[in-house]
């Protein structure tokens, strides 16, 4: 069975009916005023995608469902007498996906049906508006006719009539628009069918096809949604918010989706259809204004909102229409929200008794917490803003203005921060919206496409900036005589809705009480430790502020840069001479101070110091630059002698320590000096030393002997034993496969997942991400970027082998991960499953890791209890 009436009711499966279909069935079973209809299941979509045609028996089920709909409503689909039955057709996957096909409205329109619609409504203006809307939506979303083709006609008619929006056009204007739209669609490869049943057939197929469209695939890749789910199709009786001034349509949320405040929130448009609200082409009214116009409908709507929130125990997003004094609920789903709102809603609902702490921890998308770390505008911005719009998605961002999604993606890939500036966004802009650091539109409200997508992505957005005239073709935006050209820097604040025509230095974010509370609950559930990758006292302080258990990676090479670079270059160029020895002594003092500052900032917490990893030539100038600058030939030759053909696989890491042991000895002494200084100051330093790029147990054994000598000498000099664990960084496949032998000399393992991924795949990360990773993802060669989410089958298998064999050889071995995967929720889930003891990530992602670690533990407990 592929077709399910909404009235079949009950708790419906999102896997089978998609989110929209399940919501419609659920609301119908609750007795809410839902326009009747039916859902074609995701099973049908998967069968279509597999076989290239609708599965056997599906269309007979659709015909029967339309027949039941006619009986229930007293309306007739297609030719015939009496009130016409018009349909909306929309997609509905398990997860809300703005990248899917837009809705087809008023399906079933023909000239005779339009005449019946006019007779039923008593309004030819309404009937012809319905006619033109059908051709416009069908032509755009089913036939692929560019939307601009229709907009140009409407703009011409509005200008000729001297009106601001389509609702002010005359009946004759709308009939003319309908005829011109029909002519436009007639030029498509498959023109609009005259038979309503053929219209419905083509619309259903178009929904299924849209599952594999570019924007849908882009959205799934961004949000890590499986390609195998498929989409359902929802076919529903049209109700009309544009019949007269007593009618209208809107979108509401049971709580504020931007802040989480427990107040009704939404937009309402009188005498309009739903597409007018989300398109942002008309200025909307608030729900309070709905209350003043239609207090009865407002009160009814509030009751529905409260009932749905209590039923779903979550904030709901609701679409509604008032048709001649009757309220209809068109759709509900768990509403998209900002991370700040998600945290606030989850903690408040615990206080309200709707959910428990465990559910609250699971409710918040761990990756979304990065949104809470968005910078904001300083409070003392001197000048007034260039423009004000709707504060649609919180956080501030500054970047170069760009006027199309493709360029936004290109510039962002090249490392530029961009603000996507549009009159209004559409699902076709999804890739550019994902690439941009901020979104600015001249049209739209808080529930427009730009606002909803930006909030879901955690991207700051200002919409409805009415004073901003955007000319995408000329690539400029003008506001009060000020021109923003492409490439000009602008700053937007999605919290206040302000726009500035220059770069403004932004303020770093702070934690909230609600976030601290949620993360405290998370800490009670998680087993994995969460450390931070931090190289400076400032980074370490940030890590402590965000709740890190320690430092999992302090990169000592970062301490060799800046004004210390000449000292390092002296060490390299005179390695065996007095200049080199003097440089080593100076570096020892400098690094001792660096290490002491890190240990002080992390007092009482572990600090893993990684000995020098990169090849020495990286600290030297480019030989070609030296030649151009006229440097001495002998000096140029010495610099050239340090160059390597493949430095990633050359003289770096542990190899460097064995070939130039004085460098590692100096670093170890500096670290031990720092421990002594902190002990003398009454501190609690917990230093650990990590040897990078180990590939053979003998390498680690020899460096371990060297380090142990330094620890023994420092202990003897201080008159107290210094307990400093020494571990290995597992970054090569061979190290993972010989972990049993390496564990003999390692008290801990830290998986350097970035290099381990490069070496396992044979990819150079920089080259791969620049040249072919995106192509691989688009073409389905890879399901995930392995540098963002840990590859379970290859790299992950090596991690499992090394962890099991290492802990077998040394039962008290501590194993962690310190690559960028340590801040990725899906990778953290794997680390929990693989038996690691901690993850380490950049300080701003520590809250993400704490929450993800808790969710992994709860998920494991749930799956174990269900067995």
């Amino acid at each position: 069975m592929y077709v399910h009436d909404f009235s079949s009711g009950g708790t419906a499966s999102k896997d089978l009916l998609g989110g929209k279909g399940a919501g419609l069935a659920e609301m119908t079973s609750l007795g809410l005023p839902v326009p009747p209809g039916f859902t074609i299941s995701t099973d049908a979509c998967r069968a279509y995608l597999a076989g290239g045609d609708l599965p056997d028996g599906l269309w007979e089920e659709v015909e029967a469902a339309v027949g039941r709909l006619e009986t229930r409503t007293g309306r007739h689909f297609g030719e015939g007498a009496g009130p016409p039955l018009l349909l909306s057709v929309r997609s509905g996957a398990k997860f809300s996906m703005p990248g899917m096909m837009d809705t087809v409205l008023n399906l079933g329109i023909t000239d005779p049906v339009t005449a019946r619609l006019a007779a039923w409504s008593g309004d030819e203006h309404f009937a012809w508006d319905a006619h033109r809307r059908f051709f416009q939506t069908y032509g755009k979303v089913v036939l692929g006719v560019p939307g601009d083709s229709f907009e140009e006609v409407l703009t011409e008619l509005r200008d000729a009539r001297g009106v601001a929006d389509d609702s002010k056009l005359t009946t004759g204007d709308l009939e003319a628009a309908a005829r011109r739209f029909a002519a436009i669609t007639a030029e498509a490869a498959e023109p609009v069918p005259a038979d309503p049943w053929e219209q419905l057939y083509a619309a259903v197929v178009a929904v299924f096809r849209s599952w594999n469209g570019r924007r849908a695939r882009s959205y799934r890749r961004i949000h890590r949604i499986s390609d195998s789910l498929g989409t359902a199709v929802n076919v529903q009786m049209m109700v009309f918010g544009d019949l007269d001034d007593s009618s209208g349509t809107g979108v509401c949320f049971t709580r504020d989706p931007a802040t989480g405040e427990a107040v009704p929130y939404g937009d309402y448009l009188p005498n309009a259809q739903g597409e007018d609200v989300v398109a942002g082409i008309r200025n909307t009214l608030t729900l309070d204004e709905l209350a003043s116009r239609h207090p009865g409908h407002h009160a009814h709507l509030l009751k529905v909102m409260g009932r749905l929130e209590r039923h779903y125990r979550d904030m709901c997003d609701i679409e509604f229409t008032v048709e001649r004094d009757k309220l209809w609920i068109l759709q509900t789903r768990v509403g998209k929200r900002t991370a700040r709102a998600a945290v606030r809603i989850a903690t408040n609902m615990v206080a309200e008794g709707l959910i428990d702490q465990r559910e609250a921890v699971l409710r918040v998308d761990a990756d979304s917490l990065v949104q809470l770390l968005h910078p904001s505008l300083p409070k003392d911005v001197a000048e007034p803003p260039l423009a004000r719009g709707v504060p649609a998605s919180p956080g501030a961002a500054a970047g170069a203005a760009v006027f199309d999604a493709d360029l936004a993606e290109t510039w962002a890939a090249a490392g530029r921060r961009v603000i996507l500036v549009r009159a209004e966004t559409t699902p076709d802009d999804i890739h550019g919206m994902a690439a941009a650091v901020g979104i600015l539109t001249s049209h739209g409200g808080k529930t427009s496409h730009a606002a909803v997508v930006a909030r879901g992505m955690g991207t700051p957005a200002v919409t409805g900036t009415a004073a901003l005239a955007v000319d995408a073709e000329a690539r400029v935006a003008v506001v009060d005589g000020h021109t923003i050209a492409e490439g000009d820097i602008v700053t937007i604040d999605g919290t206040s809705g302000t726009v500035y025509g220059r770069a403004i230095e932004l303020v770093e974010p702070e934690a909230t009480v609600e976030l601290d509370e949620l993360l405290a609950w998370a800490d009670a559930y998680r087993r994995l430790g969460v450390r931070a990758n931090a190289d400076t006292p400032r980074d370490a302080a940030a890590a402590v502020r965000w709740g890190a258990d320690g430092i999992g990676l302090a990169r000592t090479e970062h301490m060799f840069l800046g004004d210390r670079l000449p000292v390092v270059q002296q060490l390299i160029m005179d390695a065996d001479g007095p200049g080199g020895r003097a440089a080593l002594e100076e570096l020892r003092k400098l690094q001792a101070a660096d290490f002491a500052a890190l240990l002080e900032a992390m007092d009482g917490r572990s600090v893993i110091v990684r000995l020098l990893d990169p090849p020495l030539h990286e600290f030297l100038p480019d030989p070609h630059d030296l030649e151009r600058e006229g440097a001495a030939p002998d000096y140029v030759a010495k610099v050239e002698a340090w160059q390597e053909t493949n430095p990633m696989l050359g003289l770096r890491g542990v190899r460097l320590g064995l070939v130039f042991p004085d460098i590692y000895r100096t670093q170890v002494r500096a670290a031990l000096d720092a421990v002594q200084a902190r002990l003398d100051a009454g501190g609690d330093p917990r230093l650990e030393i990590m040897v990078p790029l180990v590939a053979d147990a003998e390498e680690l054994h020899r460096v371990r002997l060297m380090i142990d000598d330094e620890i023994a000498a420092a202990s003897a000099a201080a008159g107290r034993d210094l307990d400093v664990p020494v571990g290995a960084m597992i970054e090569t496949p061979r190290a993972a496969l010989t972990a049993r032998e390496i564990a003999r000399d390692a008290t801990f393992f830290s998986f350097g997942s970035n290099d381990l991924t490069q070496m396992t795949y044979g990819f150079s990360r920089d080259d791969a991400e620049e040249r072919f990773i995106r192509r691989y993802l688009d073409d389905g060669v890879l399901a995930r970027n392995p540098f963002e989410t840990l590859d379970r089958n290859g790299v992950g298998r090596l991690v499992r082998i090394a962890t099991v064999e290492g802990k077998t050889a040394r039962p008290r071995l501590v194993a962690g991960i310190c690559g960028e995967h340590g801040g990725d929720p899906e990778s953290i889930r794997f680390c929990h499953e693989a038996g690691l003891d901690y993850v380490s990530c950049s300080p701003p992602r520590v809250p993400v890791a704490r929450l993800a670690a808790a969710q992994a533990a709860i998920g494991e407990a749930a799956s174990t209890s269900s067995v």
Side-chain angles (χ1 to χ4, degrees):
M1 180 174 176
Y2 292 116
V3 176
H4 304 262
D5 289 353
F6 300 162
S7 57
S8 60
T11 301
S13 166
K14 289 186 179 181
D15 290 311
L16 181 68
L17 303 183
K20 290 187 180 73
L24 289 163
E26 195 88 1
M27 289 193 300
T28 301
S29 71
L30 292 173
L32 297 182
V34 177
F38 57 89
T39 299
I40 304 172
S41 71
T42 56
D43 285 345
C45 177
R46 288 188 288 270
Y48 172 82
L49 295 174
D53 202 355
L54 297 185
D56 291 343
L58 169 61
W59 198 247
E60 288 76 10
E61 290 187 39
V62 170
E63 290 174 334
V66 172
R68 292 191 297 273
L69 195 52
E70 290 177 317
T71 300
R72 188 175 300 119
T73 63
R75 303 183 185 187
H76 190 76
F77 183 64
E79 306 301 327
L85 173 63
L86 299 185
L87 304 173
S88 67
V89 179
R90 61 172 63 182
S91 62
K94 178 180 181 180
F95 302 104
S96 177
M97 291 179 55
M100 287 296 296
M101 192 187 92
D102 296 333
T103 304
V104 177
L105 298 172
N106 304 329
L107 187 141
I109 281 284
T110 62
D111 281 357
V113 169
T114 301
R116 286 165 48 212
L117 191 63
W120 169 77
S121 65
D123 186 351
E124 286 194 15
H125 183 280
F126 158 74
W128 281 109
D129 190 46
H131 192 122
R132 71 91 186 169
R133 284 179 188 269
F134 166 66
F135 274 87
Q136 186 172 2
T137 57
Y138 188 98
K140 181 179 176 182
V141 304
V142 177
L143 303 181
V145 176
D148 290 347
S149 300
F150 303 110
E151 285 300 327
E152 287 171 3
V153 173
L154 292 172
T155 300
E156 178 184 324
L157 292 170
R158 286 194 302 266
D159 291 346
R161 188 64 57 187
V163 296
D165 62 72
D166 302 335
S167 66
K168 302 296 191 297
L169 294 174
T170 67
T171 301
D173 293 334
L174 294 173
E175 183 176 358
R179 300 303 184 199
R180 292 174 67 177
F181 286 0
I184 291 170
T185 57
E187 298 176 2
E190 297 178 8
V192 178
D195 182 349
W197 286 101
E198 292 181 16
Q199 296 172 8
L200 181 57
Y201 186 98
V204 170
V205 169
V207 172
F208 289 161
R209 284 178 179 167
S210 74
W211 178 255
N212 282 330
R214 177 189 174 190
R215 60 186 187 179
R217 286 186 284 110
S218 294
Y219 188 89
R220 290 201 294 275
R221 185 177 70 248
I222 294 165
H223 294 274
R224 299 178 180 180
I225 296 172
S226 171
D227 287 332
S228 66
L229 296 178
T231 181
V233 183
N234 297 293
V235 180
Q236 190 170 23
M237 180 188 81
M238 286 291 304
V239 292
F240 303 101
D242 55 344
L243 272 170
D244 51 34
D245 287 336
S246 69
S247 305
T249 190
V251 178
C252 62
F253 295 80
T254 56
R255 304 191 184 211
D256 188 324
T259 68
E261 186 180 1
V263 295
Y265 173 104
D267 293 324
Y268 175 75
L269 265 180
N271 201 0
Q273 284 199 358
E275 62 171 342
D276 301 330
V277 178
V278 298
I281 57 179
R282 290 169 57 186
N283 292 327
T284 56
L285 305 180
T286 66
L287 293 186
D288 289 340
E289 290 171 298
L290 170 64
S292 66
R293 286 171 173 254
H294 305 290
H297 299 323
H298 181 262
H300 189 185
L301 180 63
L302 291 185
K303 288 181 181 178
V304 170
M305 293 169 73
R307 185 170 184 186
L308 286 172
E309 181 171 280
R310 289 189 299 273
H311 179 76
Y312 284 102
R313 298 182 305 116
D314 206 342
M315 182 194 81
C316 293
D317 170 358
I318 302 165
E319 294 180 15
F320 65 95
T321 285
V322 177
E323 182 186 84
R324 285 186 174 165
D325 288 329
K326 178 173 175 57
L327 176 69
W328 292 96
I329 306 300
L330 307 184
Q331 174 183 312
T332 192
R333 58 190 172 190
V334 171
K336 289 185 178 293
R337 64 206 75 182
T338 65
R340 187 174 302 278
V343 171
R344 186 173 181 180
I345 291 169
T347 53
N348 284 355
M349 284 189 168
V350 170
E352 295 164 17
L354 286 174
I355 60 176
D356 58 20
Q357 293 179 6
R358 174 182 173 279
E359 180 66 24
V361 168
L362 293 174
R363 277 277 174 90
V364 179
D365 174 30
D367 220 12
S368 75
L369 291 187
V370 175
Q371 297 178 26
L372 292 181
L373 311 177
H374 277 307
S376 60
L377 284 178
K379 295 180 180 179
D380 57 351
V381 178
E383 78 270 24
L386 187 65
R388 291 184 183 274
V390 176
S393 183
V402 294
F403 293 89
D404 72 76
D406 290 340
L407 186 61
E409 187 177 48
T410 299
W411 281 13
R416 296 184 69 176
R417 296 173 63 82
V418 299
I419 304 290
L420 180 62
V421 182
R422 304 283 283 161
E424 60 207 13
T425 63
T426 72
D428 290 326
D429 294 320
I430 187 70
H431 55 297
M433 298 173 77
V437 298
I439 298 166
L440 172 63
T441 69
S442 56
H443 299 306
K446 290 185 178 181
T447 56
S448 64
H449 177 268
V452 171
V453 173
R455 283 197 297 269
M457 290 180 171
T459 301
V462 176
T463 61
T465 315
L468 188 72
V470 177
D471 187 337
E473 289 190 8
R475 298 191 175 274
V476 296
V478 180
V479 53
D480 292 336
H482 180 94
T483 299
I484 301 171
E486 196 151 63
D488 288 351
I489 303 298
V490 295
T491 300
I492 66 170
D493 181 20
T495 304
S496 65
T498 50
V499 181
Y500 295 85
R502 66 176 179 88
I504 295 177
E505 187 173 349
L506 304 177
V507 177
E508 293 301 313
E510 297 290 339
T512 65
V513 173
E514 292 89 354
L515 177 60
D516 288 342
E517 185 174 30
L518 182 75
L519 291 176
W521 298 339
D523 289 342
Y525 287 105
R526 68 180 168 96
R527 177 188 61 76
L528 279 173
V530 176
R531 304 184 186 184
N533 302 335
D535 313 322
T536 67
R538 179 181 177 182
D539 289 344
V544 171
R545 186 168 68 250
W546 293 119
D549 301 321
I551 291 179
L553 174 64
R555 307 171 185 85
T556 57
E557 58 268 15
H558 289 183
M559 303 171 183
F560 281 24
L561 303 175
D563 56 4
R564 301 176 184 185
L565 193 56
V567 179
V568 179
Q569 291 174 347
Q570 179 180 332
L571 163 65
I572 298 169
M573 300 302 286
D574 191 19
D576 298 323
R581 289 191 291 274
L584 276 173
E585 185 58 29
E586 185 172 355
L587 283 174
R588 174 182 175 178
K589 295 175 182 177
L590 291 170
Q591 288 213 290
D594 292 337
F595 294 143
L598 282 180
L599 292 169
E600 181 178 7
M602 303 296 296
D603 198 57
R605 298 176 176 86
S606 296
V607 175
I608 296 181
V609 168
R610 182 179 73 182
L611 299 178
L612 190 64
D613 182 35
L616 295 181
H617 82 88
E618 290 192 5
F619 300 101
L620 296 175
D622 185 279
H624 300 295
D625 291 341
L626 290 174
E627 288 179 340
R628 284 194 296 270
E629 294 165 4
D634 289 350
Y635 185 78
V636 174
K638 285 187 85 171
V639 171
E640 283 183 331
W642 283 100
Q643 303 301 304
E644 297 184 80
T645 301
N646 192 339
M648 178 184 168
L649 304 179
L651 185 59
R652 54 168 288 214
V654 65
R655 308 155 197 165
L656 185 64
L658 290 172
V659 176
F660 296 99
D662 285 347
I663 294 177
Y664 271 20
R665 285 188 180 274
T666 298
Q667 287 195 296
V668 172
R669 289 170 190 164
L672 296 171
D673 289 346
V675 171
Q676 297 281 16
R678 290 300 304 142
L679 288 171
D680 291 343
D684 182 15
R686 301 193 181 183
L687 173 73
E688 301 181 41
I689 294 175
M690 181 160 65
V691 181
L693 210 69
V694 171
D696 190 276
E698 184 63 20
E699 290 178 316
L700 180 62
H701 179 67
R702 296 191 181 199
V703 173
R704 177 67 192 258
L705 291 176
M706 182 196 312
I707 294 171
D708 286 346
D709 285 346
E710 296 297 335
I711 295 172
S715 298
R720 55 190 171 197
D721 289 336
L722 301 179
D723 180 17
V724 179
V726 177
M729 199 168 184
I730 307 298
E731 310 171 77
T732 67
R734 191 177 191 282
L737 295 172
T738 59
R740 192 186 304 271
E741 290 78 27
I742 291 174
R744 289 198 295 263
D745 284 295
T747 53
F748 67 87
F749 283 171
S750 180
F751 292 96
S753 58
N754 298 339
D755 269 359
L756 187 57
T757 298
Q758 290 193 99
M759 294 190 189
T760 302
Y761 270 94
F763 289 171
S764 163
R765 176 174 184 171
D766 290 343
D767 292 334
E769 292 196 322
E770 179 180 347
R771 297 183 183 279
F772 64 84
I773 286 288
R774 180 172 294 278
R775 174 71 176 271
Y776 268 31
L777 295 171
D778 289 342
D779 291 350
V781 178
L782 292 175
R784 299 279 188 272
N785 182 337
F787 296 107
E788 295 175 356
T789 298
L790 195 76
D791 160 48
R792 285 174 172 255
N793 294 336
V795 178
R797 188 177 180 197
L798 291 172
V799 170
R800 286 183 185 274
I801 290 170
T803 301
V804 170
E805 294 196 358
K807 292 196 172 197
T808 299
R810 184 185 287 267
R812 299 182 65 182
L813 180 89
V814 175
I817 191 169
C818 65
E820 290 182 24
H821 301 93
D824 170 63
E826 190 171 328
S827 304
I828 290 169
R829 189 178 310 115
F830 167 81
C831 292
H832 175 92
E833 296 167 1
L836 270 63
D837 298 293
Y838 70 87
V839 297
S840 189
C841 55
S842 62
R845 294 196 71 86
V846 166
V848 175
R850 290 168 66 189
L851 186 58
Q855 292 171 346
I858 293 171
E860 180 185 59
S863 63
T864 300
S865 64
S866 65
V867 174

